[in-house]
Amino acid sequence: MAILVDEDTRLLVQGITGREGSFHTAQMRAYGTNVVAGVTPCKGGTDVDGVPVFDTVAEAVAQTNANATVIFVPGSFGADPIMNAADAGLPLIVSITEHIPVQDEVKVYRFVEDRGSRLIGPNCPGLVSSGRCKVGIMPNQLFLEGHVGVVSRSGTLTYEMVNELTRRGIGQSTTVGIGGDPVIGTSFTDILRLFDDDDDTQAVVLIGEIGGTDEEEAAEYIGSRIGKPVVAFISGRTAPPGKRMGHAGAIITGGVGGPQHKVDAFTAVGVPVADSIADIAERIEVLLGAVPTR
Amino acid sequence: MKLQEYMGKELLRAVGVPVPPGGVATTPEEAAEIARTLGSVAVKAQVLVGGRGKAGGIKLANSPEEAEVAARQILGMDLKGLTVEKVLVEQQVSIAQEYYAGITLDRANHSYILMLSSMGGIDIEDVAASNPDAIIRTWIDPAYGLLPFQIRDAMFAAGFERSAFKDLQNIIAGLYQVLVEEDGFLVEVNPLAVTTDGRAIAADAKVDLDDSALFRHPELAALQSETIGDPLEQIASEKGFAYVRLGGDVGIIGNGAGLVMMTLDVVKQVGGNPANFLDIGGGARAEVVRNAIDVLLQDENVKGIVINIFGGITRGDEVAKGLLQVASERDIPVPIAIRLAGTREAEALELLEGSSFIPAADLVTATRSVLEQMQERSTAGVGGQR
């Protein structure tokens, strides 16, 4: 099972001929992802290591039946390809792009929502269903097949987490980086709902950070349902208010987004908030009990 | 990018929002010259810190001579660590009524939100805490923008006076225009004032622009150095680092914002006091690592450095080469511990063998060894005089 991506994913890569696009296309294929097409305007008719390149997204979808796309296009131009993909009817859109202007992200959100696509990101590392399919830029070697769902706003912190789980022999069903921007397409809650419905997932790790109220919403959702056990982590717990900590979205403003509020929200619904990556892994180990990884 | 008051007011003025007449001075003489045509003025320090008035950064003057004296007192003044280099000299406003108007991003609703309140002149966060119903919130559909009826409805709900209604409405429309045209994160006027002679005017302006959109505004991007008060933050930003000064004595370097934030948390838990946030980003090469160390060593508070790298795309051996490069180029006066995991971890550790860098298996150990060395050196009087 796993969520969002698997063996049936037929991936399109927007910006496939660029440096990042071509490098990560090779990495994704090495992981076993079925990359069926690429799009770079005016480079249609060529190919990248055998993957056909098209001028337009609509044409690529018509010719190859792609059902997901990953976008490697710089921030200044980052909004247009997302809207393009939604307009072409692609159900899953993953935007790796960092530094898309917020005003563009607000329009993108509305546009994608209207067309019924799901957007992961922007400014995210993508997602991996262990052993089945990778969409994005996460390092191939980290993942192990198993039953823990991982969802995170951060990139490298996700890698740390997965690395620690794998080291202990705890595999992952799907790992999703939802992105560090203030406006993102898919929230923690959206992913938690998917994990709750996924037979393959037995427990969930949620890695949040300061800024916004997405963690609080997730806690509210967790408190409202009977679902998989969740272990949470919040980074930036010692960050001062008013300072943007790297991620455009990681800022405590006007009393909103502070860490204690998030910790309290999780604690109130019985979700343990771990102190470190190792602590999360230990708690997951306990939760899974004697359940062996596949 | 937070704009200074005078820059924010210029943006408002450009779209027709009335602001008090005035000008910017860098010398007392200029301040007197500007005051000559304005009558009674306020002389306001142009620095990006809150509570300027209480700290003595705003003074009233009733003549050009008084304005000169006030400017002489304020220019060069140290306000919460920032030196005042400019003052805004503007006509005093005789205020009858103070409102609040602000437009900002509402993350939870993925849209911009207009906030109005008849409780102006005080911190809106205090209003939100003590009297949340006094803030009228209106969400803006990005497809259609802020519509005139929405502004009117919000104004009635907030209890704005009918006397200057149309002018106030135009000002609020102007705030949205600035937000859209200049890519604002926040455009706020507090107080939005009605004067004793019945005019509506933006008596203050707080504008925060979206850094990611500065490429669309080269004229504003040019002002960026002026908006970063901290020289080290300026240098780091030129080198392409996400850097925030935090004031402690343990310098921090890591790759990825979430990882660096966690590193700060761990260093603090172990008893250290982080000097900064510095993210070298993904896929960093030796050169980048060298630059990062360079930036930290320019902070004279830094007495030790903790580096935390998880190699995904970033290669451990590249990080190690960068470190060795710095060590060969300059004397490193502080202990540096590095915790490195992931891609090419073994090669990296091999490269660092025999160097002065302290390798550690985990972050807690790395932090402890740096703190110990800092302690030893300060007791021995070494490295304390940087």
Side-chain angles (χ1 to χ4, degrees):
Chain A
M1 277 270 289
I3 64 166
L4 295 168
V5 294
D6 55 26
E7 295 87 344
D8 297 329
T9 299
R10 298 173 57 79
L11 187 69
L12 166 70
V13 179
Q14 288 171 262
I16 193 170
T17 55
R19 196 169 61 103
E20 299 285 317
S22 56
F23 173 78
H24 287 292
T25 296
Q27 293 289 310
M28 289 187 285
R29 294 177 83 190
Y31 196 77
T33 304
N34 184 15
V35 179
V36 296
V39 167
T40 300
C42 298
K43 297 236 168 109
T46 62
D47 74 287
V48 172
D49 295 334
V51 176
V53 179
F54 298 87
D55 285 325
T56 70
V57 176
E59 194 188 353
V61 172
Q63 297 285 328
T64 66
N65 287 320
N67 57 14
T69 180
V70 60
I71 302 171
F72 296 94
V73 175
S76 340
F77 312 102
D80 186 60
I82 302 174
M83 292 156 110
N84 190 173
D87 199 55
L90 281 158
L92 179 68
I93 303 168
V94 180
S95 167
I96 307 301
T97 312
E98 195 178 358
H99 302 306
I100 295 181
V102 168
Q103 193 172 184
D104 296 1
E105 290 183 344
V106 168
K107 286 183 186 150
V108 161
Y109 186 91
R110 168 74 197 270
F111 189 96
V112 170
E113 191 180 42
D114 281 354
R115 278 154 188 81
S117 295
R118 175 183 296 286
L119 168 65
I120 310 273
N123 190 13
C124 81
L127 62 165
V128 176
S129 289
S130 295
R132 295 169 173 177
C133 181
K134 177 181 104 159
V135 175
I137 62 171
M138 297 202 214
N140 287 3
Q141 70 275 18
L142 303 177
F143 300 88
L144 177 71
E145 286 179 60
H147 307 290
V148 175
V150 178
V151 60
S152 167
R153 265 164 76 181
S154 151
T156 33
L157 210 48
T158 313
Y159 310 160
E160 282 269 11
M161 186 67 247
V162 173
N163 192 51
E164 182 68 19
L165 290 171
T166 296
R167 206 176 59 80
R168 292 167 187 251
I170 307 171
Q172 312 87 36
S173 52
T174 303
T175 300
V176 187
I178 58 172
D181 276 359
V183 177
I184 50 175
T186 297
S187 66
F188 281 128
T189 308
D190 296 332
I191 299 295
L192 285 171
R193 278 182 212 279
L194 295 173
F195 279 139
D196 276 347
D197 291 339
D198 175 36
D199 295 340
D200 228 14
T201 304
Q202 294 170 354
V204 179
V205 172
L206 184 155
I207 301 178
E209 63 190 29
I210 53 161
T213 55
D214 205 17
E215 289 80 3
E216 284 87 338
E217 278 165 31
E220 198 177 313
Y221 165 72
I222 292 166
S224 74
R225 74 12 163 180
I226 299 167
K228 313 283 163 70
V230 178
V231 176
F233 180 80
I234 307 290
S235 68
R237 284 163 83 165
T238 58
K243 297 279 188 185
R244 202 161 269 134
M245 305 304 274
H247 282 163
I251 181 166
I252 306 168
T253 42
V256 176
Q260 198 53 47
H261 199 249
K262 296 177 188 295
V263 172
D264 292 347
F266 282 123
T267 311
V269 294
V271 171
V273 181
D275 286 330
S276 66
I277 295 289
D279 186 21
I280 305 172
E282 276 157 28
R283 287 169 189 268
I284 288 288
E285 238 164 14
V286 172
L287 277 177
L288 293 179
V291 182
T293 52
R294 287 189 303 164
Chain B
M1 167 171 147
K2 287 187 182 126
L3 296 185
Q4 297 188 19
E5 180 191 1
Y6 82 93
M7 297 175 186
K9 281 183 169 163
E10 269 168 32
L11 293 182
L12 292 181
R13 201 197 315 262
V15 298
V17 170
V19 297
V24 178
T26 54
T27 65
E29 294 73 25
E30 274 174 28
E33 191 52 42
I34 294 166
R36 211 167 296 283
T37 55
L38 296 176
S40 294
V41 295
V43 181
K44 304 163 108 177
Q46 296 300 290
V47 281
L48 290 167
V49 297
R52 281 177 306 174
K54 277 190 193 133
I58 299 177
K59 293 185 190 299
L60 301 180
N62 293 315
S63 68
E65 293 72 28
E66 283 182 31
E68 189 173 338
V69 172
R72 185 159 286 126
Q73 288 169 342
I74 296 173
L75 287 166
M77 181 186 258
D78 187 290
L79 276 184
K80 301 183 182 174
L82 295 178
T83 308
V84 181
E85 285 169 2
K86 285 181 179 170
V87 289
L88 173 61
V89 181
E90 67 178 19
Q91 202 165 55
Q92 285 181 33
V93 182
S94 170
I95 295 175
Q97 193 82 47
E98 291 185 321
Y99 299 128
Y100 169 90
I103 306 174
T104 190
L105 179 72
D106 178 16
R107 295 168 60 154
N109 284 293
H110 317 94
S111 63
Y112 293 101
I113 181 175
L114 167 71
M115 291 182 292
L116 294 184
S117 177
S118 56
M119 296 176 73
I122 46 176
D123 200 329
I124 194 65
E125 284 152 24
D126 294 341
V127 179
S130 64
N131 198 352
D133 292 343
I135 302 174
I136 303 303
R137 295 172 168 82
T138 306
W139 284 271
I140 302 168
D141 187 323
Y144 307 106
L146 180 59
L147 301 166
F149 79 85
Q150 290 183 298
I151 302 178
R152 287 196 306 272
D153 287 6
M155 289 172 65
F156 285 121
F160 281 20
E161 285 276 349
R162 287 159 192 251
S163 57
F165 204 85
K166 191 70 197 165
D167 290 345
L168 289 167
Q169 187 184 338
N170 287 340
I171 289 178
I172 295 162
L175 303 189
Y176 185 65
Q177 192 183 343
V178 169
L179 181 113
V180 169
E181 288 177 1
E182 309 296 344
D183 279 294
F185 233 83
L186 167 75
V187 180
E188 181 183 275
V189 171
N190 189 21
L192 167 59
V194 178
T195 61
T196 44
D197 56 357
R199 290 175 300 122
I201 191 166
D204 192 13
K206 201 160 146 192
V207 177
D208 187 1
L209 300 178
D210 179 2
D211 291 342
S212 294
L214 282 178
F215 71 93
R216 290 202 275 243
H217 311 283
E219 73 293 347
L220 292 169
L223 294 174
Q224 197 168 19
S225 67
E226 234 185 280
T227 64
I228 305 177
D230 189 319
L232 213 52
E233 293 194 1
Q234 214 169 306
I235 292 167
S237 127
E238 280 160 19
K239 301 255 186 218
F241 296 127
Y243 172 94
V244 179
R245 193 203 287 264
L246 299 170
D249 54 4
V250 183
I252 310 286
I253 295 173
N255 62 328
L259 186 74
V260 181
M261 272 189 271
M262 181 195 70
T263 308
L264 301 176
D265 297 345
V266 170
V267 169
K268 196 108 182 193
Q269 275 165 24
V270 177
N273 204 355
N276 64 280
F277 169 104
L278 192 155
D279 177 9
I280 58 170
R285 319 276 309 182
E287 173 79 11
V288 174
V289 177
R290 199 198 69 160
N291 287 343
I293 302 250
D294 255 1
V295 168
L296 291 205
L297 289 178
Q298 288 183 52
D299 180 351
E300 53 190 25
N301 292 326
V302 169
K303 301 285 192 288
I305 295 176
V306 173
I307 303 175
N308 188 17
I309 301 290
F310 187 85
I313 305 166
T314 309
R315 286 167 39 174
D317 54 340
E318 282 289 332
V319 174
K321 280 180 199 160
L323 291 174
L324 295 173
Q325 203 182 325
V326 196
S328 71
E329 286 168 3
R330 61 178 293 172
D331 172 45
I332 298 179
V334 303
I336 300 183
I338 175 162
R339 177 268 172 176
L340 197 151
T343 313
R344 306 226 184 182
E345 173 184 337
E347 289 91 332
L349 295 176
E350 201 171 302
L351 279 169
L352 290 176
E353 224 174 74
S355 74
S356 63
F357 300 102
I358 314 159
D362 61 77
L363 186 54
V364 171
T365 314
T367 308
R368 289 216 170 106
S369 19
V370 161
L371 291 177
E372 269 165 33
Q373 289 227 6
M374 283 164 65
Q375 182 64 35
E376 278 170 29
R377 291 185 189 205
S378 98
T379 327
V382 186
Q385 301 298 315
R386 288 192 50 223

